[in-house]
Amino acid sequence: DLGGLAPVEAAPATEQASNEPAENTSTPTAAPNRGSGPSAIPQEDMLKRAFQGIDYAQAVVLAKSNTVTAGLDFEAEAFLTLGNSALTPTITRNGQDVEVVNGRGVITFKASASPNEYDANDLAKKSFELEISAKDGSGGEVTRIKTHEYYVARPVIEVVAKSVQALYRDCANNVTINVPSLGASYSPSFRMTGGTFTEGSGKGEIQIAPEGNEASIQVYSSGLAIGTKTFPVRSAPAPEVDVLTNGQPYDPEAGFTGSLNDISFAFNVDPDWKESFPNDASFLVSKGQILIQRGSSVTARVNIDSPDAIFNMAQYRNLLSTGANVIVKIEEIVRINFEGKQIRTPKFFNATIRIN
């Protein structure tokens, strides 16, 4: 705040108080250091002469943070700033011009750090150099150079999902990824390895479909890399299989009485998983055999070699008389996921239907 200030001629000191600008014939000295706080003025910052032209004074409170958690201390420095309203200093940061508004530089830039710069406390020490120059009113300039140190905190990526410990392969894993420390400025975008994803309608909402054994999501905000979240990937749980005769559960103790028209299957998967992945829990039998046996002889064989839900037995009705057994052997099932993709899974299941 020194632009346009005129130097004052030295004059003998008097004991009479005066309203005239201060005069000084000696080199000013720093005020006694009353502690180790940041308010102490370094000797090199002291001016070599007095100046006039000051036309404003402002009270300034410099807080460490204007947001304080209840129970913690609010910390700040308070001081008086004197200056000349005509001052237009030149300010640079690392050699680049800084916008000056009302005599003050407005410094704004995206804080960033590479992954290897963070310490054990997830802080990266950074710095920049400021050079501030202003006219001194006598054809010269006053210039100060200052290196300012600050710390970049590693952002914490928060994932909200039905299962945050793992993702399920070839399933619609709906998750919300947030970076709480960015607040309202969070403007997310994502990249992924080990699968595909689609973005939802809400901020940070994505649907992940992993393909391998591990999936990684790279998180960005306003184009700036925030970090990577890596998940192990599990297979969807295999269902238990029950055989149905004419659409009804078969009771092996009672056997089957009547005309056997068809055989189908019920697939019982973990109910909590099914609730979380309702569009990934449809199953079909894709490989196996249905044998009609009387005594030790196989009288008919139905090969299952393509996915199906129900198997018609009407054409074998003449073989399905009292004393016959229908032996069902399953070797493989398919799960149909949210995209309609069929995922083949080995599944061994045997059942015998006794015809009364």
Side-chain angles (χ1 to χ4, degrees):
D1 292 338
L2 300 173
L5 304 186
V8 176
E9 296 295 334
T14 67
E15 296 182 359
Q16 182 178 358
S18 173
N19 291 326
E20 295 300 316
E23 298 176 341
N24 194 348
T25 57
S26 60
T27 301
T29 57
N33 187 352
R34 300 181 185 276
S36 59
S39 297
I41 301 174
Q43 184 65 38
E44 61 267 21
D45 284 344
M46 301 303 295
L47 296 173
K48 304 304 180 183
R49 71 179 90 181
F51 287 84
Q52 68 178 12
I54 292 174
D55 62 2
Y56 73 84
Q58 287 184 322
V60 178
V61 177
L62 189 62
K64 285 191 174 181
S65 175
N66 283 319
T67 302
V68 183
T69 302
L72 299 181
D73 292 336
F74 175 87
E75 297 181 60
E77 293 181 44
F79 51 90
L80 193 65
T81 296
L82 306 178
N84 187 317
S85 58
L87 173 68
T88 305
T90 299
I91 304 176
T92 63
R93 181 181 69 87
N94 294 338
Q96 301 296 315
D97 289 341
V98 172
E99 181 185 10
V100 177
V101 177
N102 295 328
R104 298 185 180 186
V106 179
I107 300 173
T108 303
F109 62 92
K110 297 289 186 186
S112 64
S114 58
N116 60 355
E117 290 183 288
Y118 292 103
D119 62 17
N121 297 315
D122 285 336
L123 295 174
K125 186 177 181 180
K126 309 287 283 186
S127 66
F128 58 82
E129 185 179 86
L130 283 177
E131 182 173 312
I132 306 175
S133 298
K135 301 298 182 182
D136 66 4
S138 63
E141 281 189 336
V142 174
T143 299
R144 293 292 184 265
I145 297 175
K146 180 175 179 60
T147 298
H148 181 78
E149 294 182 346
Y150 63 101
Y151 290 87
V152 177
R154 189 196 301 270
V156 176
I157 300 174
E158 180 181 86
V159 179
V160 178
K162 290 288 186 180
S163 174
V164 297
Q165 288 78 28
L167 302 178
Y168 287 93
R169 187 179 299 106
D170 292 313
C171 293
N173 297 265
N174 294 306
V175 304
T176 300
I177 297 179
N178 192 20
V179 182
S181 60
L182 296 182
S185 66
Y186 180 52
S187 179
S189 59
F190 307 96
R191 296 177 187 171
M192 181 177 181
T193 56
T196 60
F197 74 93
T198 54
E199 296 194 40
S201 57
K203 182 185 288 189
E205 293 180 357
I206 59 173
Q207 187 178 83
I208 303 171
E211 296 170 352
N213 295 321
E214 187 177 84
S216 295
I217 306 294
Q218 294 88 47
V219 183
Y220 298 80
S221 180
S222 300
L224 182 68
I226 300 300
T228 299
K229 198 72 174 179
T230 300
F231 302 88
V233 176
R234 300 172 180 168
S235 297
E240 297 298 322
V241 181
D242 291 328
V243 66
L244 306 179
T245 52
N246 295 345
Q248 300 299 316
Y250 171 69
D251 183 352
E253 293 186 3
F256 177 81
T257 301
S259 179
L260 182 59
N261 298 317
D262 58 66
I263 293 174
S264 57
F265 302 92
F267 300 91
N268 304 307
V269 70
D270 178 85
D272 292 333
W273 186 86
K274 186 175 182 178
E275 182 181 0
S276 299
F277 299 90
N279 298 320
D280 291 289
S282 297
F283 299 88
L284 297 172
V285 173
S286 55
K287 188 176 181 180
Q289 286 184 330
I290 298 176
L291 307 177
I292 300 175
Q293 188 175 31
R294 183 173 291 277
S296 59
S297 300
V298 176
T299 58
R301 186 188 305 268
V302 179
N303 290 320
I304 303 172
D305 51 19
S306 61
D308 211 338
I310 187 168
F311 300 90
N312 191 342
M313 302 299 292
Q315 60 182 310
Y316 306 102
R317 194 168 295 156
N318 62 323
L319 301 176
L320 297 173
S321 57
T322 301
N325 290 319
V326 179
I327 301 172
V328 180
K329 296 182 177 181
I330 295 176
E331 300 175 24
E332 181 188 80
I333 62 174
V334 296
R335 180 176 61 84
I336 303 173
N337 76 352
F338 71 106
E339 297 174 313
K341 179 181 177 182
Q342 295 184 355
I343 297 95
R344 295 180 178 270
T345 305
K347 179 67 179 181
F348 298 95
F349 169 81
N350 293 334
T352 299
I353 302 171
R354 178 167 49 85
I355 307 297
N356 295 328

